[in-house]
Amino acid sequence: MRHRRKLAAGNWKMNGTADDLGEVTALAEAHPDPGCQIVICPPATLLSRMAEAVEGGPVEVGGQDCHPAASGAHTGDVSAAMLADAGAAWVILGHSERRADHGETNDTVRDKCRAAWDAGLIAIVCVGETLEQREAQNTLDIISGQLAGSVPDGATGHNLVVAYEPVWAIGTGKIPTMDQIGEVHDAIRARLERRFGEGVGRSVRLLYGGSVKPGNAAEIFAVSNVDGALVGGASLKAADFGGIVAALGGD
Ligand code: PGA
């Protein structure tokens, strides 16, 4: 079953105001018929305006996090249903910056993932090792533990995407070797197949994330079991992200 549609996902992190919406409309205009799916995850404050700006075009929008509860006394938090209400179809969960800055554990991420699914969102669950963990040759154990702990039962190729993001490659300009990326993606695929069965395991898309740029995208996308990218810095400008979309979609 090799029907995994390629996916270019952009994570704007804590960047972007109304002035930046033009980047997304420019992206949509430059790639009216991309050979891949395109998702941009802006800050929550921009979600509904971005969703309106891209409506009817090739770009979908997503959140960068959600609370595990559906509603309640959680000052400053945003629920999955609120993201959906604002026009999101996707949400990034368990990004290493959330794990590090907000103490998110695998259990937290799993609860958030359930909440996302309850709201009808597709979850992009992030896993990745630190430099210390890689140097101690613990990468595959760390990734396996994060995957087992962060992904709830009930995953399918329609509700889950997994992003492999080595912490040391995020925003640093450093990337693993293509062999290292392939080793981790193959391991993630094998673990998903073992847990969820071959059909589901083979249908979940696996993204690489960490310093993906137009200049290195084609090489990364040629690696086995890489179905696309989760892109931070290079997703902020239409020209940069467009280069990645083109490398992925062959347009
Ligand atoms: P980067 O970020 O592309 O700026 O390295 C990737 C991410 O954090 O998803």
Side-chain angles (χ1 to χ4, degrees):
M1 212 177 98
R2 281 241 30 157
H3 281 306
R4 298 193 299 267
R5 195 169 166 209
K6 302 285 182 194
L7 172 61
N11 173 11
W12 278 20
K13 309 190 179 184
M14 200 171 71
N15 299 290
T17 58
D19 287 348
D20 300 297
L21 288 172
E23 294 296 334
V24 198
T25 47
L27 178 74
E29 276 162 27
H31 301 273
D33 192 17
C36 64
Q37 199 166 16
I38 306 176
V39 179
I40 301 276
C41 301
T45 48
L46 270 188
L47 257 181
S48 64
R49 280 176 288 176
M50 187 178 287
E52 274 166 33
V54 300
E55 204 182 337
V59 178
E60 299 170 45
V61 301
Q64 299 175 10
D65 175 49
C66 69
H67 193 279
S71 63
H74 303 289
T75 303
D77 280 312
V78 173
S79 75
M82 292 168 183
L83 296 178
D85 181 54
W90 301 74
V91 62
I92 298 169
L93 295 174
H95 189 281
S96 60
E97 287 153 16
R98 301 256 357 141
R99 292 179 188 261
D101 297 354
H102 299 272
E104 289 193 6
T105 63
N106 292 329
D107 285 355
T108 323
V109 179
R110 194 178 59 231
D111 290 346
K112 290 181 172 198
C113 193
R114 281 202 198 95
W117 290 349
D118 285 347
L121 300 178
I122 304 166
I124 302 176
V125 172
C126 304
V127 296
E129 83 286 2
T130 63
L131 189 57
E132 295 70 45
Q133 290 164 338
R134 175 160 284 280
E135 285 173 346
Q137 322 233 315
N138 283 336
T139 299
L140 294 184
D141 285 348
I142 293 292
I143 303 295
S144 294
Q146 289 177 335
L147 199 61
S150 302
V151 176
D153 289 341
T156 72
H158 300 291
N159 65 17
L160 177 72
V161 169
V162 175
Y164 167 52
E165 299 207 308
V167 178
W168 51 276
I170 295 175
T172 59
K174 294 184 192 143
I175 57 167
T177 65
M178 299 307 119
D179 283 352
Q180 288 171 330
I181 294 175
E183 181 187 35
V184 174
H185 279 240
D186 289 352
I188 293 173
R189 175 78 61 217
R191 279 156 183 72
L192 290 172
E193 285 182 22
R194 199 170 336 147
R195 177 167 168 201
F196 297 107
E198 265 198 15
V200 168
R202 287 189 189 171
S203 64
V204 173
R205 287 172 289 177
L206 309 185
L207 308 183
Y208 169 76
S211 297
V212 178
K213 311 282 176 215
N216 61 21
E219 186 187 16
I220 294 169
F221 296 152
V223 174
S224 85
N225 280 314
V226 174
D227 303 308
L230 180 56
V231 183
S235 71
L236 294 169
K237 295 289 172 205
D240 293 337
F241 201 50
I244 293 168
V245 165
L248 195 54
D251 64 318

